[in-house]
Amino acid sequence: MASILTFEPVLRGAAFLGVLALMLGAEAVWPKRPRLNPRRKRWLTNLSLMGAGTILSRLMAVLPAPIAATAAAAFAAAHGFGLLHWLDWPSWIDGLTTLLALDFAVWVQHWAFHKSDTLWRLHSVHHADREIDATTALRFHPLEIGLSVLFKSAVVLALGAPIAAVIVFEVLLNACAMFNHANTSLPPALERAVRLVLVTPDLHRIHHSVRREEHDANFGFCLSLWDRVFGLLRPRPLDGDLGMTIGLAGHQDERPAQLSWSLRAPFIAGQGGGRDHRL
């Protein structure tokens, strides 16, 4: 188990850099939407937000009682705690159940961040990006990252999820997020097939529309299953893929590209991306 935990940062880092490079390359060769502004400032802000979130999550992981999904899985394994330990299923069923349960948990978390005014103020930083590309997948307020780590850790502990499956899920979650935020598109026939199972860029882009009825749909990051089950899947944007406006209606200016604004926005009256700015 110790060797798996030691290898985790290398695996996750290599997967992250590989998928990010692949998606940025696809965007350069097959862009879906034209750029509105130079990328340098946006990318610096989005990457800086990711860096701040990563620092916070690492600090949580080295607390005397570490808060991290892998730490929760290690604790569950050491103490035989959690649903899967009590059921004693074959390991492959434990792994598959973990992947499905965690993907559903992330879907529920995402839905909750849209339905709670307080949580939305944090999550609106992600939606404030006026363009969408692979770096948008990294653009989350650090406090949202901290809450997400806490929630995933609780789910992993209750589930008694095997540590290898948790690491695989974290890699898949990051990879799928960068894939479905990418400013590119699959060929039509492949798009129709892939979206039956996975969230594609064309599907998730709708979730970043300024229209509330569209950004309150298509919550999935990996599987498109949960949106279908709960009737929240929108297959096409009302204004078309190229006519759709990305971001928040109240923030169609240069502020979201600024790091200082992005960090302060949830706490500034009239600028925090509250529900009044979603309409």
Side-chain angles (χ1 to χ4, degrees):
M1 183 181 300
S3 61
I4 295 177
L5 290 173
T6 302
F7 185 65
E8 180 206 3
V10 176
L11 174 63
R12 293 184 61 178
F16 166 77
L17 292 174
V19 174
L20 180 61
L22 182 62
M23 292 302 103
L24 294 180
E27 293 174 349
V29 178
W30 303 290
K32 180 71 174 186
R33 293 166 56 95
R35 290 198 304 271
L36 298 176
N37 299 292
R39 291 171 293 186
R40 183 169 60 181
K41 191 172 184 179
R42 275 189 61 249
W43 282 13
L44 180 60
T45 292
N46 293 352
L47 290 170
S48 297
L49 286 170
M50 180 201 70
T54 300
I55 291 171
L56 178 59
S57 63
R58 292 300 178 187
L59 289 174
M60 293 171 68
V62 297
L63 290 171
I67 301 174
T70 50
F75 178 88
H79 295 84
F81 185 86
L83 180 63
L84 294 178
H85 289 287
W86 303 330
L87 292 174
D88 196 26
W89 285 342
S91 58
W92 70 269
I93 295 182
D94 286 348
L96 181 60
T97 300
T98 295
L99 296 179
L100 289 172
L102 288 178
D103 192 62
F104 179 61
V106 169
W107 185 94
V108 170
Q109 172 189 291
H110 192 183
W111 175 87
F113 269 89
H114 277 249
K115 298 306 175 183
S116 162
D117 286 342
T118 301
L119 295 176
W120 169 254
R121 294 181 72 84
L122 292 173
H123 187 59
S124 66
V125 172
H126 176 66
H127 278 267
D129 203 349
R130 293 178 59 222
E131 300 182 54
I132 182 170
D133 60 24
T135 70
T136 308
L138 317 176
R139 179 192 169 89
F140 290 94
H141 196 280
L143 292 181
E144 179 174 355
I145 295 298
L147 290 174
S148 178
V149 169
L150 185 62
F151 177 68
K152 280 191 294 184
S153 299
V155 172
V156 167
L157 185 61
L159 191 62
I163 191 167
V166 171
I167 293 173
V168 169
F169 175 77
E170 295 280 30
V171 170
L172 288 176
L173 180 64
N174 290 338
C176 287
M178 287 186 284
F179 165 67
N180 59 46
H181 283 86
N183 181 31
T184 191
S185 189
L186 299 175
L190 186 58
E191 169 72 28
R192 289 192 294 271
V194 171
R195 68 165 50 191
L196 293 175
V197 179
L198 299 177
V199 179
T200 64
D202 281 359
L203 266 183
H204 191 72
R205 193 176 300 114
I206 300 168
H207 181 72
H208 283 260
S209 165
V210 296
R211 291 179 176 268
R212 181 169 179 173
E213 66 269 30
E214 291 184 333
H215 72 232
D216 274 352
N218 296 9
F219 292 103
F221 273 95
C222 292
L223 299 176
S224 61
L225 169 66
W226 315 118
D227 287 307
R228 295 181 191 279
V229 168
F230 292 99
L232 292 172
L233 185 79
R234 279 187 170 265
R236 288 172 295 278
L238 292 172
D239 298 321
D241 288 319
L242 299 182
M244 175 175 51
T245 301
I246 300 296
L248 296 174
H251 300 319
Q252 291 294 307
D253 50 42
E254 295 304 310
R255 289 175 298 169
Q258 300 169 359
L259 177 61
S260 61
W261 181 89
S262 299
L263 290 170
R264 293 182 295 111
F267 314 106
I268 302 174
Q271 295 189 46
R275 289 184 182 270
D276 55 321
H277 291 294
R278 303 208 304 168
L279 303 178

